[in-house]
Amino acid sequence: MLTYKENGLSALPSVAVVILNWNGRSFLEKFLPSVCRSTYGNLQLYVADNASTDDSVAFVRTHFPDIKIILNNENNGFAGGYNTALQQVKADIYVLLNQDVEVEPGWIEPVVAQMQRDHHIAACQPKLRAYHAQTEFEYAGAAGGWMDILGYTFCRGRILYTTEEDEGQYDDAQDIFWASGAALFIRSSCFHQMHGFDADFFAHMEEVDLCWRLQRAGYRICYCPESIVYHVGGGSLPQGNPRKLYLNFRNNLMMLWKNLHPADRWIILTQRFFLDVLAAVKSLAAGKPADMRAIFRAYRHYCRWRRSYDRLKYPLPDKKLLELTGVFHGIMIWRYYFLNRKTFRTLEK
């Protein structure tokens, strides 16, 4: 692995790793030691607490006195929690790190070096592997996030619930559509230029929305395979939880309405409506009525949100989805379910 100096970059940008915590004492005890072993030379460590009711804050103060603590007055989720916390952090690059992530000592250097080679790179993610199956990619980000023409998100190394073994097939640094919020490197100037995450999202897909807005503003989003982290995943809401399903459906619809080019918006959202109804019916047929209700509730809240949404909140250039990087020019769920294309490499065949 090349070090920062070996890449011909001398000045070390200041980096702040900010871990948003909510009742995560067990995760902090397990994973903070690895973060503290980071070798980057201009580093600050923060735990931003989202009004936890356990003893997380007391634990960090006692056992990690060098870590700075930010106390949020209430739990406003991932989006609002980070928006509030990062107003109090001064650094060139923020690293938003989930509380359930284990890192290696040199995980920061290659990502920062990649970002510093091109200041148009606004955000970047490392390779995410699963903590409990460390040769496999992890659901939340794998080897970089993509999107299909109907707004369905997936990753290199993970399509829907199918994750691949890491055999080096995605060891090329490349531009992607979105970088995972589990370990998100982002220039502080870009974060604040975009007014941070959309707090209406609360949690889930806020990083996809932010990366979409950054691309619309002319920035690049990248993946750095030289940095590897290990993510437990599902620490707050596990897969299959109806609340998680509701947030994913609602936030995806909100994101599409906000970011799609006006010429594409109604065409794509109409197709999504019929596919989402099909997903709800499938959930009912599978004996999961709570999932069906979650999808319908997502649509109800999305329609309520849309009536009050101010499009001038994010005044960015309109760009067609196919003009952006990291977009699959096809329908991912069709290829996955009907053509049996279960991996990223076979998706386009």
Side-chain angles (χ1 to χ4, degrees), residues 214-269:
L214 286 165
Q215 281 212 62
R216 288 173 59 194
Y219 292 105
R220 298 172 58 197
I221 314 298
C222 291
Y223 158 71
C224 178
E226 295 176 293
S227 174
I228 301 173
V229 303
Y230 302 91
H231 184 212
V232 173
S236 299
L237 286 174
Q239 292 297 335
N241 184 293
R243 169 71 174 169
K244 190 185 192 86
L245 187 69
Y246 156 75
L247 288 170
N248 277 323
F249 270 80
R250 185 199 68 172
N251 292 353
N252 187 269
L253 291 166
M254 290 162 56
M255 175 179 67
L256 292 172
W257 178 261
K258 286 173 55 181
N259 291 292
L260 283 172
H261 191 281
D264 295 337
R265 189 180 301 126
W266 288 110
I267 296 172
I268 291 175
L269 284 169

Side-chain angles (χ1 to χ4, degrees), residues 20 50 72 74-86 197-203 206:
L20 188 68
N50 238 2
N72 291 338
E74 55 185 322
N75 179 12
N76 286 317
F78 187 96
Y82 265 122
N83 285 352
T84 300
L86 294 179
F197 294 119
D198 187 334
D200 288 341
F201 282 45
F202 188 79
E206 62 284 299

